[in-house]
Amino acid sequence: MSGGHGRVSGARSPVLASCSLQKMCSWMLSCCLALQHLAVQASLLCIFHLLLLPTLPEEPLHSQAISELLARSLFACGISTVLQTTLGSWLPLVHIPSFEYLVPAMVLSSHLSLGASMDRNGTAVASVCPAPHCIVAGSWAAPLREVSGAVLVSGLVQLVLGLSGVCGWAARHCGPMVLAPSLSIIGLSAYKEAAFFCSTNWVVALLLMLLTVTFSQHLGSCCLPFCAWPQAWRGSIEPPVPTLRTFSVLLPFAGVCIICAILNHLHIPWESLHLAMAQLSWANSSFHAPWVRIPYAGEWGWPLLTPRVLAVGIAMAIGCSMNSVGCYVLCRRLLRAPQLPPDACNRGLCTEGLGSLLAGLLGAPGGTAASIANACTIGLTQTGSRLSVQISALACVVLGMSPRLAGLLTHIPLAVHGGVLCVTYAVAVGTGISYFQYADIDSGRNIFIVGFAMFMALLVPRWFGTALSHLATGWVPLDLLFLSLLTAPVVLTGSLSFLLENTVSGTLEERGLLSDLGLWRAASGNRHPHGQTGKASQAYGLPAGLRRLLPSSCKAFPCCFLCPRSKEEEEKEDVEEGSCVTEEGTTAPGEGMHLLPKPGSGEPQLPRRTIPGHGGTGTCSPSYVGLAVAQQSPSKKPGKVAVWVHALCRACAGTLRLLEE
């Protein structure tokens, strides 16, 4: 993960070969991997702007303004990525404006469009950009400034969530039954956009998918002789890099783009654009953007802050924070890296907040969040390097200072964007499904949690998209807040699964909290068994120079949630939190969670399992468990959540009795 490369033994080995923490990629290989990340990042950036800009009111932007917007987004994403890989979580993650920014921004822009159409009774609604050299003038200035204001608010909220430790606390409470549906919905949530862009030319999109699948799966162990990176200079006997698998996204991306460029040069029609796609096509636009222009805050006017902007910004922050936590877990899972500590999650969210603040001040319509597509690229290519991500971030900064070069991204075919979405987000769906193996999927409790959370995440946004009447609470900012949250599948899935997982009774083994995965293991009060603490501190700790500068300030609020804690502090917290001992196999009849019969039996079985080394009992920290067991030992007090739920039920029962009397 720190920049090395390696090789998986066998084409279908589940162990990802990519990134040894002790090795360093050659610069040539790192630059090629950086170009691969840049291609995926550019595709996602174009998708974001292609979907958002047509929803803004009035006439479309001219090509120079589009190039300027792309350049500013690239600049902010590059700075944010550098902060993420140096001071944040240290995972090789690229930052982009994610779909969790797109949904609230489209809700706000649709509201602005509705207000603009209502104000056309002879009154001019155009606003003048206050900047002297502003290229976004007329009716576009105010809507873009409001969207930028929402991005600015989201950055502030993300900073608060990171500095207060909320992100790390939530990540510690996410077991397999939260991660499995959340990651699956993150991948499935992009299917509409993927089909939308693939529909321009399914042949081109399928060609890209076919080449990617062939290179990454069927020819994964193929090493081209002219693309070998020998290791003789360090005395290593490693075989050459499996080239086709390592560049299984870059090679199809470049090859398909070259084919489309040749067809365009020969004036052969290949792209079918219907009415809905015609307004998104900007590839044939001519522009005269400057070669060099360094973006600065307030160039297009300062972001507008209104109550509706604050509401949409809060919704952006909530959705992007959930997406980022899922992306951290996804990247860690694909890299087989050590457990991600809470302080690394908090630092990662803070860097995203700083990037969103910068993007909002620059006037970009989207903030910065961890890229699911780039994290899935690590799983496809089985290579991940922090050095290559940093190189791609520097390339983004350079492109951000040249609107003319950034405008070249608009010539990527739309079908290529759809193909990239298909091959990358499919990995997120598969990774989410893989988490089911750590929990008891035969449990009726788990079946209900997964099914209900995923079904509602697909149902509610669909209903709001087709409903004839809009949500109306009487206050527009509250309407926009609820609409932005309820139309985001990631928010619905994460919230429902998190709530049900931590309130519905279930044994530790049933919930998957006793697995050897190392992410949520809480047995015997040891959060990092088998030496995981040292590996985690090596993989996610702060740089040595920064640690020497912040030994005392890390103990003060809010830096205490951003700095790694010592082993003594963690043991002290374990003692303060206490432990709860659960006895499995003592569930009363009618209260068990295993409602489905086991294979080979004709009736439901109540499993009697023991935790190895504990003689039928397991010790766990309440912060990991919530309401963890179906039946607790009579000698132990129930957890706090169980006490609150029991008291609430007794109060409701007493109220009903009084009403009956």
Side-chain angles (χ1 to χ4, degrees):
M1 192 170 62
S2 60
H5 74 275
R7 183 176 187 270
V8 179
S9 58
R12 299 183 181 270
S13 176
V15 181
L16 297 184
S18 40
C19 324
S20 173
L21 295 175
Q22 291 81 21
K23 299 178 182 179
M24 181 67 65
C25 279
S26 64
W27 278 99
M28 184 177 180
L29 179 59
S30 297
C31 291
C32 293
L33 294 176
L35 186 60
Q36 183 166 246
H37 278 295
L38 185 61
V40 177
Q41 184 183 19
S43 182
L44 270 293
L45 272 171
C46 291
I47 290 173
F48 180 87
H49 289 81
L50 281 167
L51 294 176
L52 176 61
L53 295 182
T55 63
L56 293 176
E58 300 301 331
E59 71 279 355
L61 279 171
H62 54 84
S63 55
Q64 183 178 351
I66 293 174
S67 302
E68 289 281 354
L69 288 175
L70 283 174
R72 290 169 185 273
S73 295
L74 282 168
F75 186 83
C77 290
I79 297 296
S80 181
T81 303
V82 171
L83 293 177
Q84 176 73 269
T85 55
T86 54
L87 301 177
S89 64
W90 271 40
L91 288 168
L93 290 173
V94 175
H95 284 184
I96 60 166
S98 65
F99 288 129
E100 283 66 38
Y101 278 106
L102 180 63
V103 173
M106 294 180 70
V107 169
L108 178 60
S109 62
S110 62
H111 174 74
L112 296 176
S113 300
L114 180 62
S117 62
M118 295 175 62
D119 290 339
R120 290 174 183 172
N121 52 358
T123 304
V125 295
S127 59
V128 180
C129 182
H133 302 289
C134 182
I135 61 174
V136 182
S139 59
W140 275 85
L144 277 179
R145 290 172 63 194
E146 290 208 34
V147 175
S148 300
V151 172
L152 183 68
V153 172
S154 69
L156 292 173
V157 176
Q158 284 181 303
L159 273 177
V160 172
L161 293 177
L163 292 175
S164 61
V166 174
C167 178
W169 174 85
R172 289 170 53 192
H173 287 73
C174 292
M177 297 311 300
V178 178
L179 297 175
S182 299
L183 290 177
S184 299
I185 286 295
I186 286 177
L188 291 174
S189 62
Y191 79 95
K192 290 183 180 180
E193 290 78 9
F196 188 62
F197 285 100
C198 288
S199 62
T200 59
N201 193 302
W202 276 102
V203 175
V204 173
L206 289 176
L207 177 61
L208 187 144
M209 288 184 263
L210 177 63
L211 292 176
T212 302
V213 172
T214 303
F215 289 170
S216 63
Q217 306 302 322
H218 298 90
L219 302 178
S221 58
C222 180
C223 302
L224 300 183
F226 55 86
C227 295
W229 282 269
Q231 303 289 326
W233 59 274
R234 61 168 62 170
S236 174
I237 57 175
E238 291 185 10
V241 175
T243 313
L244 294 182
R245 186 189 63 208
T246 303
F247 303 109
S248 57
V249 175
L250 178 63
L251 295 179
F253 186 95
V256 172
C257 288
I258 292 174
I259 293 175
C260 294
I262 294 175
L263 294 177
N264 286 332
H265 181 71
L266 298 177
H267 302 287
I268 299 177
W270 60 271
E271 195 170 25
S272 58
L273 296 178
H274 50 79
L275 183 61
M277 301 295 292
Q279 61 178 343
L280 300 182
S281 180
W282 56 26
N284 296 324
S285 60
S286 60
F287 56 90
H288 303 282
W291 281 105
V292 178
R293 172 176 286 176
I294 300 177
Y296 58 89
E299 183 179 2
W300 291 355
W302 296 102
L304 295 178
L305 297 178
T306 60
R308 61 189 179 190
V309 167
L310 294 176
V312 173
I314 292 173
M316 284 181 176
I318 295 174
C320 292
S321 299
M322 291 185 176
N323 174 82
S324 297
V325 173
C327 192
Y328 298 158
V329 175
L330 173 67
C331 185
R332 188 213 71 86
R333 168 78 167 158
L334 294 175
L335 288 172
R336 298 295 175 90
Q339 173 188 354
L340 193 70
D343 56 271
C345 292
N346 295 330
R347 293 197 308 269
L349 196 63
C350 286
T351 57
E352 293 182 16
L354 292 175
S356 298
L357 281 175
L358 177 61
L361 292 174
L362 293 178
T368 60
S371 172
I372 293 290
N374 287 90
C376 294
T377 302
I378 294 176
L380 272 175
T381 64
Q382 298 190 6
T383 54
S385 167
R386 190 185 302 133
L387 177 61
S388 63
V389 171
Q390 291 170 345
I391 295 175
S392 69
L394 295 178
C396 285
V397 174
V398 174
L399 289 175
M401 293 186 294
S402 177
R404 179 70 64 89
L405 294 179
L408 296 177
L409 302 180
T410 62
H411 293 270
I412 300 176
L414 300 182
V416 172
H417 299 324
V420 170
L421 283 179
C422 291
V423 297
T424 54
Y425 275 78
V427 178
V429 179
T431 306
I433 294 174
S434 69
Y435 275 100
F436 287 122
Q437 64 181 308
Y438 302 105
D440 188 358
I441 198 57
D442 288 332
S443 166
R445 168 194 182 273
N446 294 346
I447 290 175
F448 174 77
I449 291 175
V450 173
F452 182 75
M454 297 183 69
F455 184 80
M456 296 304 294
L458 298 176
L459 170 67
V460 176
R462 174 67 177 174
W463 183 83
F464 277 107
T466 58
L468 298 178
S469 59
H470 297 281
L471 182 67
T473 62
W475 191 39
V476 173
L478 193 60
D479 296 342
L480 296 178
L481 175 62
F482 286 155
L483 191 59
S484 300
L485 293 177
L486 294 177
T487 53
V490 177
V491 175
L492 291 172
T493 309
S495 302
L496 290 175
S497 60
F498 184 86
L499 178 64
L500 294 174
E501 166 68 6
N502 289 279
T503 55
V504 178
S505 300
T507 61
L508 294 179
E509 188 172 3
E510 184 181 21
R511 298 171 60 189
L513 299 180
L514 296 181
S515 64
D516 294 331
L517 188 63
L519 178 62
W520 41 75
R521 181 168 181 171
S524 66
N526 188 7
R527 295 177 186 166
H528 305 283
H530 310 296
Q532 291 293 324
T533 304
K535 295 180 180 179
S537 61
Q538 180 184 4
Y540 307 112
L542 291 172
L546 187 59
R547 284 199 304 267
R548 287 193 295 266
L549 295 176
L550 302 173
S552 58
S553 60
C554 278
K555 299 180 180 179
F557 180 82
C559 296
C560 56
F561 296 108
L562 304 179
C563 298
R565 292 175 297 177
S566 62
K567 185 177 180 181
E568 292 76 11
E569 292 177 348
E570 292 187 352
E571 293 177 353
K572 182 179 179 181
E573 182 179 351
D574 290 340
V575 174
E576 291 176 353
E577 289 182 350
S579 62
C580 62
V581 179
T582 64
E583 183 173 345
E584 301 192 21
T586 60
T587 307
E591 296 180 359
M593 294 291 105
H594 294 263
L595 304 181
L596 299 181
K598 300 294 182 182
S601 64
E603 60 181 1
Q605 298 180 357
L606 298 179
R608 300 183 61 87
R609 300 170 181 155
T610 59
I611 304 173
H614 291 274
T617 61
T619 306
C620 60
S621 172
S623 61
Y624 280 83
V625 178
L627 227 171
V629 294
Q631 180 71 28
Q632 294 190 344
S633 175
S635 60
K636 294 295 179 179
K637 295 181 179 180
K640 294 181 180 179
V641 178
V643 173
W644 294 340
V645 174
H646 183 63
L648 180 61
C649 293
R650 292 186 61 183
C652 294
T655 304
L656 291 176
R657 282 197 300 268
L658 290 176
L659 292 175
E660 291 177 357
E661 295 175 357

